[in-house]
Amino acid sequence: MNFVNRHFPDRGVTDRVSPGPAVSRHQKWPLRYDSVEYVALCADIATILFASVASTLLHQAKNGQAAGDLSAATGLALVSAAYLVCVLKAQGLYQPVELLALRNQIRAVCMAWTSLLLFIWAVSGFAVRPESSQQAAPLFAVLGLGLLMAERWGVKALLGRGLSGRKFAETNIVLISDQPLSKNAGLSEALAMHGYCVKGRFSLPPMGFGPVCRRRLTARVIDYIRSCQLEQVVVEAKPERWHELRALIADLRVLPFPIMFVPVGTPSELLRHHTRSLGSAVCVELQPGPLTRLECATKRMIDIIGAGLGLAILAPLLALAAVAIKLDSPGPIFFRQKRCGFNGRTFLIRKFRTMHVLEDGPVILQAHHADRRVTRVGKWLRRSSFDELPQLLNVLDGSMSLVGPRPHALAHDGEFDKLVRNYAFRRRVRPGLTGWAQIHGCRGATPTASMIEARVQYDLWYIDNWSLRLDLAIVLQTPMEVLRGRNAY
């Protein structure tokens, strides 16, 4: 590594290149960090092609057939790979940072692969394919998904090893910075980890430097770059001095290299958020929605199917509960109460009536142990949580979901909002019939602020870590929690 000294008489600062960790050249991989995205994309195509050909050959070997024409398998693989790659590429899931998030990768691959299989199944009735290709399709579906999962795990492991071991091929750069060497250590470490080798470092003068100082700096940078084998220029500075940097970068346009800008300081936090186009303007997404449109559509579809099946299967038991309520005490079968739902909108929640009273006003007393307001049938319904099942109708009409934060009465909602910070964040998703807090025993009354806060923390964790797998786990664990009967009265 070369060392370059640059001195500004009007600043009194000497620019040096700090040596990085000694890593011998034979330990480097013949792959640059910038190429990881394309390598992962090609790996998906090769994996799907292998899965399609292998499934066809395995099917032929199982039936005692000689290896036949693989053109149909190859065609299916190319169509499948094109679909999968386009879907994942559109979501930015081939970027190295995303490849390290294994859970998100597996979830995205499963959803894309499932939609691909549904698409193939939908068009299979219109396409004429060889019989062997049709029979090998189930094996291709299973083998392809399994290999893609294994590939994602391998890519994450190799990428992590490459970053930690600094094994990516070097990209020689020049760094122009307005930060002192002591504050520049973090960027230098990150650059070295990603395979960028800082061959020369130049210091920017203080803010307000004139054109003479700027031209002197650009002349030194250009002279040095033309005498070395370099590939990029990186400028690290505060965004507040952009009007000065713009002139500096204009002078550096004579160089046939890309110029990258690394912002520092408080304004740089804006650039850490995703950007999107809003007509001809570029806007910064300061707070993304908890779920994407595809995730919302998938969750809604599961809610409709699950609530519909639940009502159909439990219809006889629901009818028996309605008759028992009517015979046990005077009053309506159903209890309706205003609750606060998605985005703070109110809705009427449906429950089986379990009390002699129908409270829905500014003051509502929470049910407690041995509450005399509870009817005889109501005790059984509340302990088994069977009184909550009419909320499947709320799930069907879209005011609730199968899984989500449990909604509270409006009187309690306003009270809890004052007691617990970030309580209103629960309204970013639809309330649920069951939730992450409920399977952890957070049921029943909340007489203390600590109990409310614990429930809110579970709800916020669920919102930040939502996945179809998590929803399925909550649904499966809910019956076990109901049988335990914690805090149910």
Side-chain angles (χ1 to χ4, degrees):
M1 183 178 293
N2 297 330
F3 295 87
V4 181
N5 297 326
R6 291 293 183 267
H7 178 66
F8 289 97
D10 56 340
R11 188 179 182 188
V13 178
T14 301
D15 303 321
R16 298 182 176 85
V17 179
S18 302
V23 181
S24 59
R25 215 172 267 279
H26 73 275
Q27 293 177 317
K28 296 288 185 178
W29 291 345
L31 173 68
R32 292 187 177 182
Y33 181 79
D34 295 338
S35 303
V36 170
E37 181 176 357
Y38 304 101
V39 172
L41 188 149
C42 293
D44 274 354
I45 297 175
T47 299
I48 295 174
L49 180 61
F50 174 79
S52 181
V53 173
S55 59
T56 301
L57 293 176
L58 289 173
H59 176 73
Q60 292 174 349
K62 180 181 178 181
N63 295 333
Q65 302 174 357
D69 185 15
L70 297 176
S71 58
T74 304
L76 176 63
L78 293 178
V79 172
S80 302
Y83 177 90
L84 186 79
V85 165
C86 288
V87 170
L88 298 181
K89 176 71 174 176
Q91 301 179 49
L93 293 173
Y94 285 112
Q95 297 177 7
V97 175
E98 296 293 337
L99 291 172
L100 290 171
L102 185 59
R103 173 184 290 184
N104 294 340
Q105 287 288 319
I106 291 178
R107 180 177 62 188
V109 168
C110 287
M111 295 180 66
W113 192 253
T114 301
S115 63
L116 168 65
L117 297 179
L118 292 175
F119 172 76
I120 294 175
W121 173 77
V123 302
S124 61
F126 304 96
V128 178
R129 296 180 297 157
E131 182 180 354
S132 60
S133 177
Q134 293 180 350
Q135 295 176 350
L139 181 58
F140 167 65
V142 176
L143 183 61
L145 181 59
L147 290 177
L148 286 171
M149 296 287 192
E151 179 214 333
R152 283 300 185 281
W153 180 85
V155 168
K156 178 183 180 297
L158 288 175
L159 184 56
R161 181 183 176 187
L163 291 172
S164 60
R166 302 184 179 184
K167 294 183 176 295
F168 288 105
E170 289 184 352
T171 301
N172 297 327
I173 66 171
V174 161
L175 176 63
I176 304 174
S177 176
D178 66 351
Q179 301 295 302
L181 287 175
S182 58
K183 293 185 178 181
N184 190 253
L187 177 62
S188 300
E189 181 73 16
L191 290 172
M193 182 182 298
H194 292 81
Y196 293 92
C197 180
V198 180
K199 291 293 185 179
R201 183 186 185 280
F202 295 81
S203 292
L204 284 170
M207 291 184 65
F209 65 91
V212 175
C213 187
R214 186 192 72 242
R215 284 194 292 268
R216 184 164 61 244
L217 171 62
T218 54
R220 292 173 177 175
V221 173
I222 292 172
D223 289 342
Y224 174 73
I225 291 178
R226 286 175 173 172
S227 65
C228 302
Q229 295 294 327
L230 298 172
E231 297 159 272
Q232 286 187 23
V233 178
V234 177
V235 180
E236 179 195 30
K238 297 179 180 180
E240 299 96 292
R241 59 189 309 180
W242 176 247
H243 65 285
E244 300 173 352
L245 297 175
R246 184 166 47 192
L248 174 68
I249 294 171
D251 293 342
L252 295 176
R253 285 182 178 174
V254 298
L255 298 172
F257 304 118
I259 300 177
M260 316 298 291
F261 176 58
V262 180
V264 295
T266 303
S268 65
E269 295 179 5
L270 282 176
L271 300 180
R272 298 181 184 273
H273 297 274
H274 293 289
T275 59
R276 50 190 292 186
S277 297
L278 191 63
S280 60
V282 177
C283 64
V284 179
E285 193 177 48
L286 298 179
Q287 176 179 296
L291 304 180
T292 64
R293 292 184 179 180
L294 179 59
E295 291 171 340
C296 286
T298 303
K299 186 174 175 64
R300 181 61 184 148
M301 180 180 64
I302 295 175
D303 285 343
I304 294 174
I305 295 174
L309 289 176
L311 288 172
I313 295 172
L314 298 173
L317 295 178
L318 294 174
L320 288 175
V323 173
I325 293 171
K326 199 64 178 176
L327 295 176
D328 180 54
S329 61
I333 296 174
F334 294 106
F335 167 60
R336 294 176 176 85
Q337 189 180 66
K338 290 181 181 179
R339 298 288 174 98
C340 191
F342 176 70
N343 199 24
R345 301 168 187 165
T346 60
F347 68 97
L348 284 176
I349 196 171
R350 301 175 177 93
K351 302 175 67 173
F352 279 130
R353 182 178 59 84
T354 59
M355 291 187 175
H356 297 287
V357 297
L358 300 173
E359 295 179 336
D360 188 16
V363 178
I364 298 177
L365 180 63
Q366 290 185 328
H368 54 272
H369 185 65
D371 197 324
R372 294 184 178 182
R373 296 173 300 168
V374 179
T375 63
R376 290 173 298 178
V377 172
K379 293 179 182 179
W380 295 97
L381 295 178
R382 296 178 71 90
R383 181 165 182 80
S384 63
S385 295
F386 201 84
D387 62 320
E388 309 284 357
L389 290 181
Q391 291 165 39
L392 291 172
L393 297 172
N394 288 103
V395 175
L396 285 180
D397 66 26
S399 57
M400 291 183 62
S401 178
L402 289 177
V403 181
R406 287 291 298 161
H408 298 128
L410 293 183
H412 301 150
D413 212 57
E415 179 185 348
F416 297 161
D417 199 3
K418 298 176 182 178
L419 290 175
V420 181
R421 184 183 178 186
N422 299 333
Y423 177 83
F425 291 0
R426 302 168 71 252
R427 302 166 189 154
R428 296 176 62 196
V429 297
R430 286 190 180 95
L433 184 62
T434 183
W436 186 245
Q438 281 62 51
I439 66 171
H440 285 86
C442 296
R443 301 169 61 196
T446 51
T448 63
S450 59
M451 296 178 67
I452 302 170
E453 188 171 358
R455 187 171 300 190
V456 171
Q457 291 303 318
Y458 279 121
D459 291 337
L460 297 183
W461 186 93
Y462 166 79
I463 294 173
D464 293 335
N465 297 274
W466 179 87
S467 67
L468 292 177
R469 179 181 177 183
L470 180 60
D471 272 7
L472 179 60
I474 293 173
V475 170
L476 294 178
Q477 292 182 45
T478 296
M480 300 299 298
E481 180 61 30
V482 170
L483 291 177
R484 293 180 67 177
R486 288 188 291 181
N487 303 320
Y489 41 79

